[in-house]
Amino acid sequence: MVSTTLSSFLLVLLVSFFVTEAQRPALTKGLSWSFYQSSCPQLESIIRKRLQKQIKDDVGQAAGLLRLHFHDCFVQGCDGSVLLDGSAGGPSEQTAVPNLTLRKKSFKIIDDLRKRIQDECGQVVSCSDIIAIAARDSVVLTGGPNYDVPLGRKDGVNFATEQATIDNLVAPSANTTTVLSLLATKGLDATDAVALSGAHTIGISHCPSFTDRLYPNQDSTMDKTFANNLKGSCPTADSNNTVNMDIRSPNVFDNKYYVDLMNRQGLFTSDQDLYTDRRTRGIVTSFAVNQSLFYEKFVIGMIKMGQMNVLTGGNGEIRNRCDRRNKDKKVDIATVVEELEETFSSLF
């Protein structure tokens, strides 16, 4: 017999939720809802089909891909610069402290998608657009809302510095004032901030991201039982163990994250303070009691975030490989071996 939990999950998975055309944020010049309709009409089906298998095999990859999109967009715009390996032109954004815990597999998945798309359509789809679609599909394939993604981004040719990366990403220890101030600089309001934080309804965190709330003294805004359970998973402040971000339904994209906050079971300070702070407490409560409202506002926030400082038209490039700029392409033995491996693997 199928369990009630599994039945609920399947029901959520089948739901497609679209904001109305009137609710959609305005499109940035150069982006379109149907950008690849002629040049690569099968683009989204290629990505969806591949990610269905990837996420079925390892549901944790959904959170990894969603986080990759956030970390790309917030630093210097949605330009795919987080994918660059930094072998030429300076250190990669991946070496900045906030990015050290990005899942390595996420980068491999994006480049695998890039190869599959180029096999079908040629070099016409940017890596930054692939990230945006993969993030959307990660939400959908874990039970969240479906939505159209504006497309037409070009890939950046410059790295952000380590300091710029740190300055533009919300730290787990940030309070609501810091969160709202940072997001305001990017054209996102309080509702966007709370809705986008709901991405923490899936995924895991390493202990050092929140153990400042446990040691040496427990954060008074944290539920005691929840804190004791966390101490069991993170016996020391520098333990490198991981815990679920959402204790109620960690692998389902739903509104339980906000229920966690109302029960003082938010993992990060940046999470829990959204309920503590009276400026955002009402928004948290409204999402906790109305999942459809959360979905609506999350979609709006994602569409707005996905258009931040994008490169379009003659700006940027469409990378041949997601991990390097086109001008960095070089022929060496390592590249030859990699291309041979890719050819060999494609035969199976």
Side-chain angles (χ1 to χ4, degrees):
M1 180 179 292
V2 180
S3 69
T4 301
T5 301
L6 181 56
S7 297
S8 299
F9 172 74
L10 292 173
L11 178 62
V12 171
L13 189 59
L14 292 172
V15 172
S16 292
F17 186 94
F18 293 89
V19 297
T20 66
E21 189 169 343
Q23 292 172 308
R24 280 178 174 174
L27 280 178
T28 294
K29 185 179 180 180
L31 298 185
S32 166
W33 300 110
S34 56
F35 191 84
Y36 298 106
Q37 187 170 5
S38 298
S39 60
C40 192
Q42 63 271 56
L43 167 63
E44 297 194 39
S45 63
I46 293 171
I47 294 176
R48 179 69 63 89
K49 182 178 179 180
R50 183 59 177 165
L51 290 186
Q52 283 175 334
K53 182 181 186 306
Q54 295 278 2
I55 292 172
K56 180 180 178 181
D57 291 345
D58 180 5
V59 69
Q61 297 306 328
L65 291 168
L66 182 56
R67 187 173 180 229
L68 191 63
H69 186 41
F70 274 73
H71 282 232
D72 182 38
C73 291
F74 267 84
V75 175
Q76 61 177 21
C78 311
D79 65 349
S81 59
V82 72
L83 301 174
L84 294 170
D85 66 11
S87 58
S92 167
E93 291 175 27
Q94 296 170 32
T95 62
V97 172
N99 288 339
L100 293 177
T101 54
L102 290 173
R103 291 178 182 242
K104 304 304 180 187
K105 180 68 173 177
S106 298
F107 296 94
K108 294 180 180 178
I109 290 173
I110 294 297
D111 206 55
D112 171 69
L113 292 171
R114 185 271 308 165
K115 286 180 283 188
R116 292 170 184 272
I117 292 162
Q118 287 185 358
D119 286 344
E120 290 291 329
C121 304
Q123 191 177 331
V124 298
V125 180
S126 67
C127 296
S128 48
D129 273 348
I130 295 172
I131 297 176
I133 298 170
R136 186 272 313 278
D137 285 0
S138 295
V139 170
V140 174
L141 292 171
T142 49
N146 202 357
Y147 58 96
D148 292 331
V149 177
L151 299 170
R153 301 166 187 79
K154 292 292 184 65
D155 297 320
V157 296
N158 298 309
F159 303 96
T161 66
E162 180 172 7
Q163 192 59 53
T165 302
I166 293 170
D167 290 345
N168 284 281
L169 291 172
V170 175
S173 59
N175 60 24
T176 298
T177 295
T178 300
V179 172
L180 295 181
S181 296
L182 176 59
L183 268 64
T185 66
K186 302 179 183 300
L188 300 171
D189 60 26
T191 300
D192 298 322
V194 178
L196 292 173
S197 295
H200 287 169
T201 191
I202 56 174
I204 59 175
S205 172
H206 291 80
C207 295
S209 293
F210 59 85
T211 47
D212 61 321
R213 301 185 67 204
L214 300 174
Y215 307 109
N217 300 307
Q218 182 186 314
D219 186 332
S220 62
T221 65
M222 183 181 283
D223 174 75
K224 290 182 179 180
T225 300
F226 178 58
N228 288 334
N229 290 338
L230 290 177
K231 288 177 181 178
S233 299
C234 308
T236 62
D238 59 354
S239 171
N240 201 40
N241 294 333
T242 59
V243 301
N244 291 322
M245 295 290 294
D246 173 2
I247 65 171
R248 286 175 167 75
S249 53
N251 296 323
V252 180
F253 196 97
D254 56 19
N255 66 336
K256 296 301 187 292
Y257 161 83
Y258 301 103
V259 177
D260 294 340
L261 301 190
M262 291 184 69
N263 285 277
R264 299 194 298 140
Q265 295 164 335
L267 196 59
F268 298 161
T269 297
S270 59
D271 295 319
Q272 191 58 54
D273 203 48
L274 294 174
Y275 187 66
T276 304
D277 194 299
R278 62 184 180 182
R279 291 171 294 179
T280 47
R281 184 182 185 114
I283 304 172
V284 170
T285 303
S286 68
F287 291 166
V289 301
N290 187 338
Q291 182 165 274
S292 294
L293 179 63
F294 161 51
Y295 282 176
E296 174 191 319
K297 299 304 182 184
F298 179 80
V299 167
I300 291 172
M302 286 294 286
I303 293 173
K304 290 169 70 173
M305 183 190 79
Q307 299 187 81
M308 293 193 309
N309 297 325
V310 293
L311 301 173
T312 62
N315 297 314
E317 64 184 14
I318 296 175
R319 292 187 204 134
N320 181 56
R321 282 183 43 160
C322 290
D323 61 352
R324 66 175 59 153
R325 301 172 295 186
N326 292 338
K327 70 177 183 179
D328 296 331
K329 186 175 182 180
K330 56 186 178 181
V331 178
D332 56 22
I333 188 62
T335 301
V336 172
V337 169
E338 181 176 346
E339 291 176 349
L340 287 172
E341 288 176 343
E342 291 175 1
T343 301
F344 182 76
S345 64
S346 68
L347 298 176
F348 296 90

